[in-house]
Amino acid sequence: MSESRDVMRCRTAPGLLLILLALTLYFPQLSGAQGKALVRIDEDVQAFAIGPDNRIVYAVQHMRRVKKVRLERDDFWISSPDGKQRKIIDGEKMFADPLLNYQVQSLAWSPDGHRIAVMMQTAEMVQPKGTRDQQIDEEETQAPPRGLVAVYLMDDEGHQIPIQGMKDGLLNDGYNAAWLADGKTLVYVTKTGGDFNELNTLIPSQGKSKPLFQGHTFAALAWDTKNNQAFAIEESTRVLTSPMLVRLDLVGESRNAIVPVDQYVGDFAISPSGKKAGYFRDGDTLEVRDLLNPSAKPVQVKVAIGTFQWDHDDRRILLKRGDPLKSGTLTWVGVYDGQFEPLLHDLEFHDFALAPSGGSVAVTEPGKRSLLVYGVH
């Protein structure tokens, strides 16, 4: 009997091999150059950010019901590079107001890796009154509560960093916030209307914000807060002039014009070395400027517009084509050799971020938005 079992194994082995091959073809994530995910977090991750030490802070969707009101109050977690996860904030206990609804939009680490700025959208929900029929009538006639953008500050243990004089510690109407190198000063953006932004600074313990670079408005901005600076594409809302690529000293409050920009339509990023700036000049052209030699002819790469991040060596970008709010494939784009290389076998992802070391990439899947970390080369 044992001999017949051995014969059967030998006969079925080729069939098993064919099945495994088919699985590999239909599920390429099982056999890519990147291999198996180093970390997998099977939660509905709304937003995440990779810190200077490769820890990942992420917000997990948390829906709850208070009597007849359905609220979203996301939880906050931190994952170590080896995948150990720790909850640092329970969303139900985050604010004293039981009817404050919030959804996390993005997160940003301080350069020292101990403080986090949380960009969120909030809304004050209203407890329904009366009979069910009256509630339905009211729902049909009332507009939904208007969401407000706000910034919440915390440390990497989940303790709130209060903002003096501000309700619930929320900095309302602020977004795209970042910490300066001192870990005490916050810089953030406010809208002026349309697609233009203004810069502001705030020391939370003092509570009073002040504008930076008054009279200047910016169409795009890239923080380099470990060096207390930012780069921006400046556009005037009052005078018809060409956009200008500028360097902003966020401590000395000095502005240095680098080079005019003929055209700008979307996205903007500075390389890790601070020597290169990239942006889309039109819907299918990525333009790269040498910040050390701004008079040099810019490099242009023909590629469809999308969201991108520089690799650690300044020689290629990782691009997700299309609408940044929609899922898409990831592609390495060689800035100087024009080479294109799909990442993760052309699978689609909702969001992505390269680790500061350049050795890994974190992605969220479409749908549930599980968070995965893969090694890259």
Side-chain angles (χ1 to χ4, degrees):
M1 180 67 93
S2 62
E3 183 178 351
S4 63
R5 286 199 191 101
D6 292 339
V7 171
M8 188 175 295
R9 282 196 197 97
C10 292
R11 288 176 178 172
T12 56
L16 288 172
L17 289 175
L18 288 173
I19 292 172
L20 289 172
L21 179 60
L23 286 171
T24 299
L25 292 173
Y26 281 94
F27 300 96
Q29 64 271 32
L30 298 177
S31 68
Q34 289 74 29
K36 184 180 178 182
L38 304 175
V39 176
R40 183 180 183 95
I41 299 170
D42 286 315
E43 300 285 355
D44 195 345
V45 175
Q46 298 298 293
F48 69 92
I50 307 176
D53 57 1
N54 282 353
R55 288 185 299 163
I56 301 177
V57 60
Y58 59 98
V60 174
Q61 186 181 65
H62 185 156
M63 305 301 297
R64 64 191 294 256
R65 186 175 291 276
V66 178
K67 295 183 179 179
K68 299 176 181 179
V69 179
R70 184 171 168 81
L71 300 173
E72 179 172 354
R73 298 182 72 142
D74 299 337
D75 299 327
F76 292 85
W77 293 70
I78 285 182
S79 174
S80 62
D82 61 2
K84 293 180 181 177
Q85 290 122 42
R86 176 171 59 94
K87 183 191 282 190
I88 60 171
I89 292 182
D90 184 332
E92 292 192 19
K93 303 174 183 177
M94 189 166 171
F95 293 109
D97 183 350
L99 293 178
L100 182 65
N101 184 92
Y102 69 86
Q103 182 186 57
V104 177
Q105 306 292 309
S106 63
L107 302 123
W109 287 89
S110 61
D112 64 8
H114 292 300
R115 294 164 185 81
I116 300 162
V118 183
M119 277 58 73
M120 57 175 60
Q121 189 161 22
T122 68
E124 186 72 27
M125 308 302 284
V126 178
Q127 182 71 44
K129 297 179 182 179
T131 66
R132 181 56 188 155
D133 289 341
Q134 290 172 330
Q135 291 170 17
I136 292 173
D137 290 341
E138 189 172 340
E139 288 171 1
E140 290 176 349
T141 57
Q142 277 190 344
R146 186 175 69 89
L148 297 174
V149 293
V151 178
Y152 178 89
L153 306 177
M154 64 184 184
D155 63 24
D156 59 347
E157 294 295 327
H159 303 128
Q160 182 182 12
I161 299 173
I163 303 174
Q164 181 66 33
M166 295 191 182
K167 181 184 177 183
D168 290 323
L170 285 173
L171 176 61
N172 288 316
D173 295 326
Y175 71 103
N176 192 12
W179 294 95
L180 294 188
D182 64 3
K184 300 176 182 178
T185 307
L186 192 77
V187 285
Y188 65 97
V189 173
T190 52
K191 285 281 187 186
T192 63
D195 295 325
F196 296 99
N197 310 301
E198 290 180 332
L199 271 59
N200 307 267
T201 184
L202 167 75
I203 297 176
S205 60
Q206 297 177 5
K208 188 175 181 180
S209 62
K210 70 171 185 177
L212 293 174
F213 311 103
Q214 280 188 292
H216 297 274
T217 52
F218 308 98
L221 179 76
W223 299 117
D224 179 19
T225 54
K226 66 180 182 296
N227 295 311
N228 290 329
Q229 65 180 358
F231 293 87
I233 294 179
E234 180 181 315
E235 288 196 49
S236 175
T237 58
R238 295 171 296 179
V239 182
L240 185 60
T241 58
S242 296
M244 179 69 70
L245 178 58
V246 297
R247 176 188 173 275
L248 305 172
D249 181 338
L250 300 172
V251 174
E253 297 187 38
S254 62
R255 169 190 167 278
N256 176 34
I258 298 174
V259 66
V261 174
D262 294 336
Q263 291 178 261
Y264 168 76
V265 298
D267 217 30
F268 177 64
I270 301 297
S271 68
S273 70
K275 298 177 181 178
K276 310 290 182 183
Y279 53 87
F280 282 94
R281 63 173 287 121
D282 55 44
D284 59 5
T285 308
L286 174 74
E287 187 161 273
V288 174
R289 295 274 185 172
D290 186 338
L291 298 177
L292 299 184
N293 186 16
S295 61
K297 184 178 180 180
V299 175
Q300 294 183 350
V301 183
K302 288 297 180 182
V303 63
I305 192 171
T307 305
F308 70 92
Q309 185 177 346
W310 284 90
D311 195 15
H312 69 290
D313 64 0
D314 285 14
R315 300 199 62 80
R316 62 179 182 174
I317 63 164
L318 184 58
L319 171 70
K320 182 172 74 105
R321 295 184 179 94
D323 187 336
L325 299 179
K326 295 182 180 179
S327 298
T329 59
L330 299 177
T331 304
W332 287 115
V333 178
V335 173
Y336 302 102
D337 60 13
Q339 295 296 310
F340 290 73
E341 180 184 353
L343 180 69
L344 299 172
H345 312 282
D346 272 339
L347 297 175
E348 290 195 345
F349 297 99
H350 186 271
D351 203 358
F352 74 97
L354 286 168
S357 64
S360 61
V361 61
V363 296
T364 50
E365 296 179 319
K368 184 184 175 182
R369 298 195 197 177
S370 294
L371 175 64
L372 300 93
V373 180
Y374 290 93
V376 296
H377 55 79

